[in-house]
Amino acid sequence: MKSTSGNTGVQKKKMNGYVGFSNYPNQVHRRSVKRGFNFTLMVVGESGIGKSTLINTLFDTKIFPDREEMPPSAEPVKGVDVTSMSADIQESGVKLRLTVVDTPGFGDSINNEDAWQPILENIESRFDAYLAQENRVNRSKISDNRIDAVIYFIKPTGHCLRVIDIEFMKRLHTKVNLIPIVAKADTLTASELEQFKAKILADINYHGIQIFKPVSDEFDDPETVAENREILSKIPFAVVGSEKLVEHPNGTMVRGRSYPWGIIEVESEEHNDFIKLRQMLLRSHMEELKDTTDMVLYENYRTQKLLSMGHVQDNNVFREFNPLVQVEEERRAHEGKMQKMEGEMAAVFQQKVQEKESKLKLSEEELYARHKDMKTVLEKQRSELEDKKKRAEATARPITPMEQHPTKGKKKNIFSGF
C-alpha cells in the first residue's frame, strides 16, 4: 500500500489488492431495488391542454382515467383545485410509487389573478409536513410527499409567454424543479416552434426565472456530457402526446396522431421532443431532481422557515478549533463579561448616589424653607407681643400727685428776687 499526502492533510492510499468496498454501489442498488422508489410529479396547465394524455404516454399506463363528458347544463368548477393520484408501477423488477398531482381549474377563469396561490400553498404545506416529521422524537418512518418536479404546460400561441405564465413561474421557481414544455406542438410549424422557443427562453432569462437544467461535472463521461448538451438544446420541450396507436405507411403500428397530411409520431425526435423529456425526467435525471428538491429547494425553505420562527444556528459548533485558542477566547470573553458587569455596577452605583444626593438636596431645601417660614412667623409674633406689652404698660400705670398738680410742693427759688 502506497500513501501520498496533499496540502489538505488528507492522505491518499493506493490499494495493492482487492478489499471489497468497491462493491458498495451494488449494495446500495440491491437495497434500493428491494425498497422501491417514490416520485411525485405535478402537472400545471389549462384544461384540455393535454396533461392527462402526456402523463399516460410518459409512463405507458393509465395514470389518469378517461375524462367524463360534462353535460352542457353543468356549472364549471370555480377556482383552482389540487388533487393527487398514486399508482404502483414496475419495470424490469424495479418498483416505483408514482404520485401525480393535478391542478384542475388553473387558467380556466376569466380573472386568473392569484390562480397560483392554491398550488404554492400545497407545495409549502408538503414542505411543512416533512419538516414536522423531521422534528419528531421518533423519525423511523418519514413519509416524503414533496413535489420532485413540476411540468408546466405552455399554450402554443406562437408569440411569447403570457402574464399568467410569467407570474406562475416567478412565484414557484424557488420551491420546485420547474420544467416548462410547449404543449400540442403539432399545432405549430417547425420554424414557428423554433421562434416560439427562443421567445420563451428570452422571457425566462429576462424575469430571472430558474428552470431545471441538467448539469455535467468532471465525473461524467463524454457520452453523458453530450446527452446533457442535447437535452439543454431542446429546452423548453415541445411535445405531442397520444395514447393511441396508428398505422404507419410502412405497415407498422406507432404511437402518434394521424392527420390528412401525415402522421405525427410521439416517439420520433424528428417530430417533437417527447423522447428527450422522458429521458431527462425518468431515465437520466430522476435522482438529480429528487436530490435538488431535498438538498437545495427544501433546505432553503427550511432555513427561512426556522429563521422566521426565531431559531438561530450557532456556526461555532461546526468550526474546527485549537483547545489553547479556545481557552484564550473563553478567557477574553470572561474578562469582557466581567468588565461589562463592572461598568454596569459602577453606572448603577453612580445613579444611586445621584438619586440620593438629589433627595438630600431636596430635603435640605424643604427644611430651609420651613425654617425660614417659622422664623418669619416667630418674628411676627414677637413684634405683636411687644406692641401688646407697650399698650398694656401705658394703660395700667397709676398717675402720681405730681402729675395731677404740677406746681404744688415746688420750692421757690431763693434767687428769684434778685
Side-chain angles (χ1 to χ4, degrees):
M1 180 185 295
K2 298 179 180 180
S3 64
T4 59
S5 60
N7 296 330
T8 59
V10 179
Q11 293 185 347
K12 296 182 180 180
K13 304 289 185 177
K14 184 178 181 181
M15 311 301 298
N16 295 326
Y18 176 77
V19 176
F21 64 83
S22 61
N23 195 47
Y24 180 72
N26 296 330
Q27 301 175 36
V28 176
H29 172 75
R30 288 195 299 270
R31 185 183 63 179
S32 300
V33 170
K34 181 179 179 181
R35 292 181 177 180
F37 302 91
N38 296 324
F39 190 69
T40 305
L41 180 65
M42 175 180 280
V43 289
V44 181
E46 300 177 6
S47 299
I49 204 168
K51 301 189 297 292
S52 303
T53 302
L54 180 64
I55 295 301
N56 291 341
T57 308
L58 273 172
F59 295 95
D60 198 15
T61 186
K62 205 75 171 178
I63 304 296
F64 282 94
D66 293 332
R67 184 186 304 173
E68 298 180 359
E69 294 293 336
M70 300 295 293
S73 59
E75 295 184 359
V77 179
K78 296 182 180 180
V80 180
D81 192 15
V82 180
T83 61
S84 62
M85 56 198 73
S86 300
D88 292 325
I89 55 181
Q90 187 170 343
E91 181 184 38
S92 301
V94 178
K95 295 176 291 185
L96 176 66
R97 166 60 66 89
L98 174 66
T99 301
V100 180
V101 182
D102 193 12
T103 56
F106 177 83
D108 295 342
S109 303
I110 298 176
N111 182 10
N112 291 305
E113 186 179 2
D114 296 335
W116 51 81
Q117 192 63 34
I119 302 173
L120 179 61
E121 291 176 354
N122 182 270
I123 294 172
E124 292 182 344
S125 68
R126 293 169 183 264
F127 280 162
D128 292 336
Y130 192 83
L131 177 60
Q133 293 180 90
E134 280 190 329
N135 294 331
R136 293 186 311 190
V137 176
N138 185 0
R139 303 190 303 174
S140 59
K141 293 182 180 180
I142 295 181
S143 176
D144 185 5
N145 65 346
R146 295 171 294 180
I147 302 296
D148 296 313
V150 171
I151 299 179
Y152 183 69
F153 289 71
I154 300 174
K155 194 173 182 179
T157 61
H159 302 292
C160 57
L161 290 177
R162 299 171 300 169
V163 175
I164 187 174
D165 300 328
I166 296 172
E167 293 299 325
F168 173 84
M169 289 193 284
K170 284 174 62 177
R171 282 166 172 77
L172 269 74
H173 71 114
T174 59
K175 302 293 192 326
V176 292
N177 292 306
L178 198 58
I179 304 175
I181 68 170
V182 179
K184 297 184 177 182
D186 52 344
T187 60
L188 300 174
T189 65
S191 59
E192 291 174 343
L193 195 56
E194 185 177 355
Q195 295 176 6
F196 189 39
K197 281 187 172 185
K199 293 177 181 178
I200 292 174
L201 289 177
D203 288 341
I204 287 175
N205 294 330
Y206 177 79
H207 292 283
I209 299 172
Q210 302 173 13
I211 61 176
F212 178 78
K213 295 180 180 179
V215 179
S216 301
D217 53 35
E218 66 273 12
F219 299 104
D220 292 332
D221 52 60
E223 183 180 355
T224 302
V225 174
E227 289 179 355
N228 288 342
R229 289 177 180 173
E230 193 171 354
I231 290 174
L232 283 171
S233 66
K234 299 296 183 180
I235 296 175
F237 302 100
V239 298
V240 176
S242 176
E243 301 178 57
K244 297 180 181 179
L245 297 176
V246 296
E247 186 177 358
H248 197 270
N250 61 11
T252 59
M253 301 299 293
V254 295
R255 190 183 301 276
R257 294 180 178 272
S258 179
Y259 294 97
W261 43 265
I263 294 176
I264 295 291
E265 296 183 37
V266 173
E267 298 179 329
S268 173
E269 295 189 31
E270 296 180 356
H271 294 177
N272 69 102
D273 303 328
F274 175 83
I275 293 294
K276 293 303 180 185
L277 172 64
R278 185 172 63 184
Q279 178 181 347
M280 187 192 76
L281 190 64
L282 304 178
R283 296 180 180 177
S284 59
H285 293 84
M286 177 183 281
E287 183 62 22
E288 185 176 345
L289 288 167
K290 293 177 68 67
D291 283 346
T292 304
T293 299
D294 183 45
M295 305 301 296
V296 179
L297 302 173
Y298 169 71
E299 282 299 321
N300 291 339
Y301 178 84
R302 176 179 177 273
T303 300
Q304 296 299 324
K305 186 75 173 181
L306 294 179
L307 289 176
S308 66
M309 296 170 62
H311 296 274
V312 180
Q313 178 173 287
D314 184 7
N315 294 323
N316 292 329
V317 177
F318 309 101
R319 187 184 63 181
E320 296 183 0
F321 60 91
N322 187 330
L324 297 178
V325 175
Q326 184 185 15
V327 171
E328 181 65 20
E329 290 179 354
E330 291 178 352
R331 184 186 65 80
R332 292 177 181 176
H334 179 71
E335 291 179 354
K337 184 178 180 180
M338 294 300 297
Q339 291 178 359
K340 183 179 178 181
M341 291 177 62
E342 290 177 358
E344 292 177 351
M345 293 177 64
V348 172
F349 177 77
Q350 186 66 23
Q351 182 181 1
K352 294 292 185 182
V353 170
Q354 291 178 355
E355 291 177 356
K356 193 67 175 178
E357 289 178 349
S358 299
K359 290 181 179 179
L360 291 174
K361 186 176 181 180
L362 182 63
S363 300
E364 182 181 359
E365 291 176 352
E366 291 178 352
L367 289 174
Y368 178 76
R370 290 174 58 187
H371 172 72
K372 185 176 180 181
D373 294 341
M374 292 177 64
K375 184 177 180 181
T376 302
V377 172
L378 290 174
E379 290 291 337
K380 184 178 180 181
Q381 291 178 353
R382 179 181 177 184
S383 177
E384 292 176 352
L385 289 174
E386 288 180 352
D387 292 341
K388 289 181 179 181
K389 180 180 179 182
K390 290 179 179 180
R391 289 195 300 269
E393 289 177 351
T395 56
R397 186 170 60 88
I399 300 174
T400 62
M402 293 296 294
E403 292 175 341
Q404 291 179 354
H405 305 282
T407 59
K408 186 178 180 179
K410 186 178 291 187
K411 295 183 178 181
K412 292 184 180 181
N413 192 345
I414 56 175
F415 302 104
S416 62
F418 293 96

